[in-house]
Amino acid sequence: MNAATTVDLIIRGGTVIDGTKAPRFEADVAIQGGRIAAVGDLAGYQSREIIDAKGRIVAPGFIDSHTHDDQAVLSQSDMSFKVSQGVTTVIAGNCGISVAPLRPDMDLPAPLNLLEAPAGGRFTTFKAFLDALRATPSSVNVAAMVGHTTLRAVTMAALGRPANEQEILAMRALVEEALQAGAIGLSTGTFYPPAVAATTEEIIEVGRPLTARKALYVTHMRDEADRVMESLEETFRIGRELGVAVVVSHHKVQNKRNFGRSQVTLPFIRNAMQHQCIGLDCYPYNAGSTMIRTDRGMLEGKVLIASSVPHPECAGRDLDDIAREWGVAKDEAARRLQPGSAIYFLMDEHDVQRILAFDETMIGSDGIPVGEKPHPRLWGTFPRVLGHYSRDVGLFPLETAVWKMTGLTARNFGLEGRGTLKAGHHADLVIFDAAHIRDAADYENPTVPAEGIAAVIVNGAVTWRDGRHSGARNGQVVTRTVEETTA
Ligand code: ZN
Ligand code: CU
């Protein structure tokens, strides 16, 4: 008999769900040099480090398709709110908001100020941001996009109008710089005040460099309420004109009068998918979270204050109660609480489930890693889909749930060598207990780690084990260059 092969780590006796939607199978997994060395019956392998995964699922590490972790990966680099859920890679720079490029002295309009670093570190180029991340890695891998709202803020003297030709050229040059540095795409957030005035043409012209690099166009659409269909049309048109794949961020239909409209949006998206590359993501909650807004549409339902700069003591409180106490209208109370972030109950549970269950929907948290009372999605998204929606509600099989947070996401974002569990791929893995996995974070206690996650491995390093962070900071910057995607 041959001598045993020695590797860095062996995960023994687990049930593999490989991220392709294929049925689960029993297998050992060997890890060597940050990569998966072998998958199968590995009785002939040995290692000083062995994880017993008997009775547990071994899956590719989850990829959070929608995050605002751009600053957190530097300032909260343990990333416990993500690794504790099994997340090993985050897509940053969403909703038009990126932390680079910015000038050191400029004032940041909301929502850009939501992600301001506590230490105030700013990056004047996208390359400087990625270099900082390479120099001081976080516990998760990061793929980042450059945000159109950030580009507007850094380029334009006044944000309340469409960009002129010179400003478009300046923004386009910054998109090119970001892509060259390793950005995987451009995001927009035309829903937000600093980008509302941007026309479709402005976005197309600013996004021109995406075409040659086959980079992505990702959007928090102009309107997710009454004009959601027009917004989808605009998004798809931008993708067609640039010849690039698009991702519709956190797809939803909000406000009571739009409840049920996912029955119209989803077939429309499915039909458009036959002609162009389209992805979409969704978080598993019927409440959203963003900056504190004062418009009637956003204040229609229950509103919980997540954070407030002038009134930090209001975090976690219901806006109606605050307004009553202050003796003012709801919108006036909201105005006094700005700047800050809030949680808005504006969705119908049936729409949320319909969108989650749509084949092509990826899972993304959209968590905002700020303050003590964030939306529970920051800590609970992935276990909530696996436990609540897949196991308890029965929305889809566990294999499908895993695929929606691994293989599908890696495919849509072009993340080579991640998202599926097979030999040669990066050793990003999560081991969990399918019967007990559960999101423990709720609106009252939103920063509680999930239950049922046994171990999380990032590029071969055990990063989370039995409820504790190991201290490992083994994340990489994941880029998407033309050379790499064809390699
Ligand atoms: Zn958004
Ligand atoms: Cu977002």
Side-chain angles (χ1 to χ4, degrees):
M1 202 180 154
N2 290 337
T5 308
T6 303
V7 293
D8 295 339
L9 171 65
I10 301 174
I11 301 166
R12 288 237 183 256
T15 301
V16 170
I17 292 184
D18 70 2
T20 65
K21 243 196 311 193
R24 62 193 80 182
F25 56 94
E26 308 290 304
D28 306 321
V29 179
I31 293 165
Q32 175 65 30
R35 299 265 180 172
I36 296 169
V39 182
D41 181 354
L42 305 180
Y45 281 64
Q46 63 177 35
S47 174
R48 265 191 297 151
E49 202 177 353
I50 291 174
I51 296 180
D52 176 13
K54 215 165 185 47
R56 295 194 166 124
I57 303 293
V58 183
F62 306 142
I63 302 169
D64 191 342
S65 59
H66 189 106
T67 84
H68 295 285
D69 293 338
D70 309 50
Q71 236 354 305
V73 287
L74 292 165
S75 59
Q76 308 175 53
S77 66
D78 60 283
M79 294 295 289
S80 291
F81 52 87
K82 290 294 165 70
V83 289
S84 64
Q85 300 184 51
V87 170
T88 56
T89 300
V90 300
I91 311 285
N94 278 284
C95 299
I97 309 165
S98 59
V99 295
L102 291 174
R103 283 192 310 274
D105 56 329
M106 65 189 285
D107 276 335
L108 296 184
L112 299 180
N113 55 6
L114 260 185
L115 293 189
E116 182 66 319
R122 285 198 182 167
F123 304 100
T124 53
T125 64
F126 209 82
K127 182 172 182 303
F129 168 59
L130 294 183
D131 284 348
L133 210 42
R134 288 191 187 95
T136 55
S138 87
S139 292
V140 295
N141 303 304
V142 183
M145 296 180 290
V146 64
H148 167 246
T149 303
T150 296
L151 298 182
R152 289 193 116 229
V154 82
T155 312
M156 298 175 66
L159 297 172
R161 55 168 175 78
N164 64 33
E165 224 177 286
Q166 265 180 338
E167 291 160 342
I168 285 175
L169 288 177
M171 286 194 265
R172 191 188 286 170
L174 294 174
V175 171
E176 181 60 38
E177 187 272 328
L179 295 177
Q180 214 150 46
I184 63 164
L186 170 71
S187 76
T188 57
T190 39
F191 166 75
Y192 291 106
V196 163
T199 60
T200 311
E201 286 67 31
E202 172 184 321
I203 295 165
I204 293 168
E205 291 310 318
V206 169
R208 288 289 175 203
L210 298 176
T211 309
R213 294 183 176 269
K214 299 185 168 62
L216 289 148
Y217 172 64
V218 177
T219 181
H220 179 161
M221 300 192 301
R222 221 174 263 287
D223 193 317
E224 296 171 305
D226 301 1
R227 297 179 62 80
V228 63
M229 297 306 292
E230 289 88 334
S231 293
L232 287 169
E233 275 171 31
E234 180 188 30
T235 300
F236 300 160
R237 184 187 150 208
I238 293 167
R240 284 196 307 273
E241 301 236 357
L242 293 173
V244 299
V246 303
V247 174
V248 175
S249 293
H250 43 60
H251 182 46
K252 61 171 93 67
V253 284
Q254 65 184 29
N255 293 118
K256 235 185 198 118
R257 59 188 173 276
N258 295 307
F259 284 7
R261 282 186 83 190
S262 60
Q263 292 171 95
V264 181
T265 61
L266 293 173
F268 182 73
I269 292 170
R270 191 189 297 284
N271 183 57
M273 278 174 168
Q274 305 187 336
H275 312 287
Q276 64 186 109
C277 256
I278 298 167
L280 69 160
D281 61 75
C282 179
Y283 48 80
Y285 297 86
N286 62 5
S289 179
T290 186
M291 58 190 270
I292 296 178
R293 308 262 307 201
T294 57
D295 40 314
R296 192 178 304 157
M298 291 298 288
L299 300 183
E300 178 191 280
K302 176 176 157 145
V303 179
L304 291 175
I305 299 303
S307 67
S308 163
V309 173
H311 294 282
E313 75 283 1
C314 287
R317 294 191 63 197
D318 191 314
L319 181 61
D320 275 323
D321 295 340
I322 299 169
R324 205 171 305 125
E325 194 176 295
W326 291 353
V328 298
K330 204 171 177 181
D331 59 336
E332 172 59 18
R335 198 190 56 73
R336 292 185 191 178
L337 289 158
Q338 286 175 326
S341 55
I343 296 165
Y344 304 88
F345 292 79
L346 290 173
M347 285 173 261
D348 179 24
E349 177 66 20
H350 294 111
D351 285 317
V352 174
Q353 294 195 14
R354 202 176 287 119
I355 293 168
L356 282 173
F358 184 68
D359 318 339
E360 296 289 323
T361 303
M362 302 176 279
I363 306 304
S365 72
D366 200 8
I368 303 170
V370 174
E372 270 146 44
K373 291 281 183 181
H375 190 301
R377 65 193 183 185
L378 181 65
W379 287 78
T381 289
F382 294 84
R384 183 168 171 81
V385 170
L386 299 167
H388 178 67
Y389 281 115
S390 173
R391 181 192 59 224
D392 300 344
V393 176
L395 260 193
F396 33 67
L398 192 58
E399 283 83 349
T400 303
V402 168
W403 177 68
K404 284 172 170 288
M405 43 186 85
T406 58
L408 174 63
T409 317
R411 187 198 75 193
N412 285 349
F413 285 92
L415 311 180
E416 287 282 317
R418 301 188 196 270
T420 48
L421 196 164
K422 64 176 193 180
H425 273 197
H426 297 276
D428 295 339
L429 298 161
V430 53
I431 302 168
F432 65 90
D433 179 340
H436 295 110
I437 192 163
R438 186 180 87 84
D439 56 309
D442 59 21
Y443 294 97
E444 285 199 345
N445 295 299
T447 61
V448 185
E451 292 164 14
I453 302 279
V456 182
I457 295 162
V458 181
N459 297 307
V462 176
T463 303
W464 185 269
R465 184 115 193 235
D466 300 327
R468 236 174 302 141
H469 199 294
S470 73
R473 302 277 196 286
N474 208 33
Q476 298 174 357
V477 172
V478 179
T479 60
R480 168 191 166 112
T481 62
V482 176
E483 293 76 42
E484 276 184 17
T485 42
T486 53

mmCIF file of all heavy atoms in Angstrom, residues 85-115:
data_model
loop_
_atom_site.group_PDB
_atom_site.id
_atom_site.type_symbol
_atom_site.label_atom_id
_atom_site.label_comp_id
_atom_site.label_asym_id
_atom_site.label_seq_id
_atom_site.Cartn_x
_atom_site.Cartn_y
_atom_site.Cartn_z
ATOM 1 N N GLN A 85 -22.049 33.462 9.940
ATOM 2 C CA GLN A 85 -23.160 32.918 9.139
ATOM 3 C C GLN A 85 -22.679 31.919 8.100
ATOM 4 O O GLN A 85 -23.464 31.377 7.336
ATOM 5 C CB GLN A 85 -23.851 34.019 8.334
ATOM 6 C CG GLN A 85 -24.459 35.135 9.098
ATOM 7 C CD GLN A 85 -25.188 36.103 8.167
ATOM 8 O OE1 GLN A 85 -26.000 35.697 7.348
ATOM 9 N NE2 GLN A 85 -24.884 37.374 8.282
ATOM 10 N N GLY A 86 -21.347 31.783 7.956
ATOM 11 C CA GLY A 86 -20.825 30.910 6.907
ATOM 12 C C GLY A 86 -20.404 31.653 5.662
ATOM 13 O O GLY A 86 -20.038 31.049 4.658
ATOM 14 N N VAL A 87 -20.435 32.985 5.718
ATOM 15 C CA VAL A 87 -20.036 33.777 4.552
ATOM 16 C C VAL A 87 -18.511 33.834 4.472
ATOM 17 O O VAL A 87 -17.837 34.135 5.454
ATOM 18 C CB VAL A 87 -20.618 35.205 4.632
ATOM 19 C CG1 VAL A 87 -20.019 36.105 3.552
ATOM 20 C CG2 VAL A 87 -22.142 35.157 4.511
ATOM 21 N N THR A 88 -17.976 33.545 3.288
ATOM 22 C CA THR A 88 -16.526 33.616 3.086
ATOM 23 C C THR A 88 -16.126 34.657 2.040
ATOM 24 O O THR A 88 -14.949 34.982 1.923
ATOM 25 C CB THR A 88 -15.965 32.239 2.669
ATOM 26 O OG1 THR A 88 -16.650 31.794 1.494
ATOM 27 C CG2 THR A 88 -16.147 31.206 3.780
ATOM 28 N N THR A 89 -17.095 35.154 1.278
ATOM 29 C CA THR A 89 -16.803 36.188 0.267
ATOM 30 C C THR A 89 -17.929 37.210 0.260
ATOM 31 O O THR A 89 -19.107 36.837 0.319
ATOM 32 C CB THR A 89 -16.699 35.563 -1.143
ATOM 33 O OG1 THR A 89 -15.645 34.603 -1.163
ATOM 34 C CG2 THR A 89 -16.416 36.627 -2.218
ATOM 35 N N VAL A 90 -17.571 38.483 0.192
ATOM 36 C CA VAL A 90 -18.594 39.527 0.092
ATOM 37 C C VAL A 90 -18.390 40.335 -1.199
ATOM 38 O O VAL A 90 -17.261 40.591 -1.612
ATOM 39 C CB VAL A 90 -18.574 40.490 1.308
ATOM 40 C CG1 VAL A 90 -18.840 39.723 2.594
ATOM 41 C CG2 VAL A 90 -17.269 41.270 1.405
ATOM 42 N N ILE A 91 -19.525 40.702 -1.813
ATOM 43 C CA ILE A 91 -19.489 41.624 -2.947
ATOM 44 C C ILE A 91 -19.779 43.011 -2.379
ATOM 45 O O ILE A 91 -20.872 43.255 -1.850
ATOM 46 C CB ILE A 91 -20.561 41.278 -4.008
ATOM 47 C CG1 ILE A 91 -20.546 39.795 -4.381
ATOM 48 C CG2 ILE A 91 -20.413 42.194 -5.227
ATOM 49 C CD1 ILE A 91 -19.439 39.340 -5.264
ATOM 50 N N ALA A 92 -18.805 43.904 -2.467
ATOM 51 C CA ALA A 92 -18.952 45.236 -1.882
ATOM 52 C C ALA A 92 -19.172 46.282 -2.983
ATOM 53 O O ALA A 92 -19.042 45.990 -4.172
ATOM 54 C CB ALA A 92 -17.706 45.570 -1.067
ATOM 55 N N GLY A 93 -19.491 47.490 -2.545
ATOM 56 C CA GLY A 93 -19.649 48.592 -3.506
ATOM 57 C C GLY A 93 -21.021 48.657 -4.146
ATOM 58 O O GLY A 93 -21.160 49.116 -5.277
ATOM 59 N N ASN A 94 -22.043 48.217 -3.426
ATOM 60 C CA ASN A 94 -23.390 48.178 -4.002
ATOM 61 C C ASN A 94 -24.148 49.497 -3.866
ATOM 62 O O ASN A 94 -23.757 50.392 -3.125
ATOM 63 C CB ASN A 94 -24.185 47.058 -3.328
ATOM 64 C CG ASN A 94 -23.873 45.701 -3.932
ATOM 65 O OD1 ASN A 94 -24.336 45.388 -5.022
ATOM 66 N ND2 ASN A 94 -23.054 44.917 -3.233
ATOM 67 N N CYS A 95 -25.246 49.574 -4.603
ATOM 68 C CA CYS A 95 -26.212 50.677 -4.502
ATOM 69 C C CYS A 95 -25.604 52.036 -4.860
ATOM 70 O O CYS A 95 -26.070 53.083 -4.388
ATOM 71 C CB CYS A 95 -26.830 50.739 -3.101
ATOM 72 S SG CYS A 95 -27.732 49.238 -2.661
ATOM 73 N N GLY A 96 -24.558 52.029 -5.688
ATOM 74 C CA GLY A 96 -23.933 53.289 -6.107
ATOM 75 C C GLY A 96 -22.929 53.827 -5.114
ATOM 76 O O GLY A 96 -22.324 54.871 -5.321
ATOM 77 N N ILE A 97 -22.743 53.084 -4.007
ATOM 78 C CA ILE A 97 -21.914 53.566 -2.895
ATOM 79 C C ILE A 97 -20.607 52.779 -2.826
ATOM 80 O O ILE A 97 -20.623 51.581 -2.575
ATOM 81 C CB ILE A 97 -22.652 53.368 -1.554
ATOM 82 C CG1 ILE A 97 -24.072 53.950 -1.624
ATOM 83 C CG2 ILE A 97 -21.861 53.959 -0.409
ATOM 84 C CD1 ILE A 97 -24.970 53.472 -0.480
ATOM 85 N N SER A 98 -19.491 53.444 -3.064
ATOM 86 C CA SER A 98 -18.199 52.800 -2.813
ATOM 87 C C SER A 98 -17.358 53.759 -1.986
ATOM 88 O O SER A 98 -17.605 54.961 -1.982
ATOM 89 C CB SER A 98 -17.489 52.440 -4.127
ATOM 90 O OG SER A 98 -17.275 53.581 -4.929
ATOM 91 N N VAL A 99 -16.362 53.230 -1.276
ATOM 92 C CA VAL A 99 -15.543 54.102 -0.428
ATOM 93 C C VAL A 99 -14.389 54.713 -1.217
ATOM 94 O O VAL A 99 -13.632 55.509 -0.673
ATOM 95 C CB VAL A 99 -15.004 53.372 0.819
ATOM 96 C CG1 VAL A 99 -16.160 52.965 1.727
ATOM 97 C CG2 VAL A 99 -14.178 52.162 0.442
ATOM 98 N N ALA A 100 -14.274 54.347 -2.486
ATOM 99 C CA ALA A 100 -13.250 54.940 -3.338
ATOM 100 C C ALA A 100 -13.835 55.121 -4.737
ATOM 101 O O ALA A 100 -14.699 54.339 -5.138
ATOM 102 C CB ALA A 100 -12.013 54.039 -3.404
ATOM 103 N N PRO A 101 -13.369 56.143 -5.463
ATOM 104 C CA PRO A 101 -12.432 57.179 -5.022
ATOM 105 C C PRO A 101 -13.132 58.358 -4.343
ATOM 106 O O PRO A 101 -14.179 58.778 -4.773
ATOM 107 C CB PRO A 101 -11.817 57.639 -6.352
ATOM 108 C CG PRO A 101 -12.915 57.440 -7.361
ATOM 109 C CD PRO A 101 -13.732 56.283 -6.880
ATOM 110 N N LEU A 102 -12.496 58.871 -3.265
ATOM 111 C CA LEU A 102 -13.014 60.061 -2.574
ATOM 112 C C LEU A 102 -11.855 61.021 -2.321
ATOM 113 O O LEU A 102 -10.715 60.591 -2.193
ATOM 114 C CB LEU A 102 -13.636 59.677 -1.226
ATOM 115 C CG LEU A 102 -14.937 58.878 -1.218
ATOM 116 C CD1 LEU A 102 -15.291 58.481 0.216
ATOM 117 C CD2 LEU A 102 -16.080 59.659 -1.842
ATOM 118 N N ARG A 103 -12.178 62.306 -2.212
ATOM 119 C CA ARG A 103 -11.150 63.277 -1.818
ATOM 120 C C ARG A 103 -11.124 63.336 -0.293
ATOM 121 O O ARG A 103 -12.155 63.205 0.351
ATOM 122 C CB ARG A 103 -11.465 64.661 -2.378
ATOM 123 C CG ARG A 103 -11.146 64.814 -3.865
ATOM 124 C CD ARG A 103 -11.211 66.295 -4.271
ATOM 125 N NE ARG A 103 -12.453 66.932 -3.819
ATOM 126 C CZ ARG A 103 -13.596 66.901 -4.501
ATOM 127 N NH1 ARG A 103 -13.659 66.268 -5.658
ATOM 128 N NH2 ARG A 103 -14.671 67.509 -4.021
ATOM 129 N N PRO A 104 -9.940 63.562 0.283
ATOM 130 C CA PRO A 104 -9.841 63.564 1.748
ATOM 131 C C PRO A 104 -10.701 64.643 2.402
ATOM 132 O O PRO A 104 -11.221 64.454 3.500
ATOM 133 C CB PRO A 104 -8.361 63.834 2.019
ATOM 134 C CG PRO A 104 -7.654 63.745 0.719
ATOM 135 C CD PRO A 104 -8.644 63.765 -0.386
ATOM 136 N N ASP A 105 -10.883 65.771 1.723
ATOM 137 C CA ASP A 105 -11.526 66.917 2.365
ATOM 138 C C ASP A 105 -13.020 67.041 2.086
ATOM 139 O O ASP A 105 -13.695 67.852 2.689
ATOM 140 C CB ASP A 105 -10.836 68.200 1.877
ATOM 141 C CG ASP A 105 -10.857 68.298 0.348
ATOM 142 O OD1 ASP A 105 -10.836 67.216 -0.302
ATOM 143 O OD2 ASP A 105 -10.899 69.413 -0.195
ATOM 144 N N MET A 106 -13.562 66.243 1.173
ATOM 145 C CA MET A 106 -14.938 66.499 0.733
ATOM 146 C C MET A 106 -15.987 66.078 1.768
ATOM 147 O O MET A 106 -15.780 65.168 2.551
ATOM 148 C CB MET A 106 -15.195 65.798 -0.609
ATOM 149 C CG MET A 106 -15.131 64.293 -0.510
ATOM 150 S SD MET A 106 -15.187 63.479 -2.127
ATOM 151 C CE MET A 106 -16.929 63.682 -2.547
ATOM 152 N N ASP A 107 -17.139 66.777 1.721
ATOM 153 C CA ASP A 107 -18.292 66.389 2.541
ATOM 154 C C ASP A 107 -19.051 65.301 1.807
ATOM 155 O O ASP A 107 -19.232 65.380 0.597
ATOM 156 C CB ASP A 107 -19.230 67.588 2.738
ATOM 157 C CG ASP A 107 -18.763 68.456 3.892
ATOM 158 O OD1 ASP A 107 -18.065 67.928 4.782
ATOM 159 O OD2 ASP A 107 -19.081 69.660 3.875
ATOM 160 N N LEU A 108 -19.516 64.303 2.547
ATOM 161 C CA LEU A 108 -20.239 63.212 1.900
ATOM 162 C C LEU A 108 -21.739 63.352 2.104
ATOM 163 O O LEU A 108 -22.214 63.387 3.239
ATOM 164 C CB LEU A 108 -19.783 61.865 2.468
ATOM 165 C CG LEU A 108 -18.337 61.481 2.215
ATOM 166 C CD1 LEU A 108 -18.070 60.079 2.755
ATOM 167 C CD2 LEU A 108 -18.005 61.533 0.736
ATOM 168 N N PRO A 109 -22.485 63.434 0.986
ATOM 169 C CA PRO A 109 -23.950 63.464 1.131
ATOM 170 C C PRO A 109 -24.470 62.072 1.498
ATOM 171 O O PRO A 109 -23.850 61.061 1.159
ATOM 172 C CB PRO A 109 -24.412 63.855 -0.279
ATOM 173 C CG PRO A 109 -23.346 63.342 -1.202
ATOM 174 C CD PRO A 109 -22.053 63.428 -0.425
ATOM 175 N N ALA A 110 -25.608 61.998 2.186
ATOM 176 C CA ALA A 110 -26.253 60.700 2.419
ATOM 177 C C ALA A 110 -26.665 60.142 1.062
ATOM 178 O O ALA A 110 -27.054 60.926 0.185
ATOM 179 C CB ALA A 110 -27.484 60.890 3.298
ATOM 180 N N PRO A 111 -26.576 58.848 0.823
ATOM 181 C CA PRO A 111 -26.224 57.798 1.778
ATOM 182 C C PRO A 111 -24.728 57.488 1.846
ATOM 183 O O PRO A 111 -24.343 56.558 2.538
ATOM 184 C CB PRO A 111 -26.970 56.593 1.214
ATOM 185 C CG PRO A 111 -26.919 56.791 -0.273
ATOM 186 C CD PRO A 111 -26.967 58.284 -0.493
ATOM 187 N N LEU A 112 -23.889 58.284 1.152
ATOM 188 C CA LEU A 112 -22.453 57.951 1.165
ATOM 189 C C LEU A 112 -21.876 58.024 2.573
ATOM 190 O O LEU A 112 -20.976 57.264 2.927
ATOM 191 C CB LEU A 112 -21.681 58.897 0.244
ATOM 192 C CG LEU A 112 -22.054 58.879 -1.244
ATOM 193 C CD1 LEU A 112 -21.189 59.863 -2.014
ATOM 194 C CD2 LEU A 112 -21.909 57.487 -1.830
ATOM 195 N N ASN A 113 -22.407 58.926 3.396
ATOM 196 C CA ASN A 113 -21.865 59.094 4.745
ATOM 197 C C ASN A 113 -22.166 57.907 5.661
ATOM 198 O O ASN A 113 -21.580 57.772 6.722
ATOM 199 C CB ASN A 113 -22.374 60.397 5.364
ATOM 200 C CG ASN A 113 -23.887 60.488 5.365
ATOM 201 O OD1 ASN A 113 -24.567 59.532 5.000
ATOM 202 N ND2 ASN A 113 -24.419 61.621 5.772
ATOM 203 N N LEU A 114 -23.093 57.034 5.220
ATOM 204 C CA LEU A 114 -23.409 55.846 6.019
ATOM 205 C C LEU A 114 -22.185 54.967 6.222
ATOM 206 O O LEU A 114 -22.044 54.286 7.229
ATOM 207 C CB LEU A 114 -24.474 55.006 5.300
ATOM 208 C CG LEU A 114 -25.917 55.126 5.766
ATOM 209 C CD1 LEU A 114 -26.766 54.125 5.008
ATOM 210 C CD2 LEU A 114 -26.043 54.905 7.257
ATOM 211 N N LEU A 115 -21.324 54.961 5.215
ATOM 212 C CA LEU A 115 -20.175 54.047 5.260
ATOM 213 C C LEU A 115 -18.881 54.750 5.634
ATOM 214 O O LEU A 115 -17.806 54.206 5.464
ATOM 215 C CB LEU A 115 -19.995 53.376 3.889
ATOM 216 C CG LEU A 115 -21.099 52.420 3.468
ATOM 217 C CD1 LEU A 115 -20.686 51.679 2.220
ATOM 218 C CD2 LEU A 115 -21.412 51.429 4.574
#
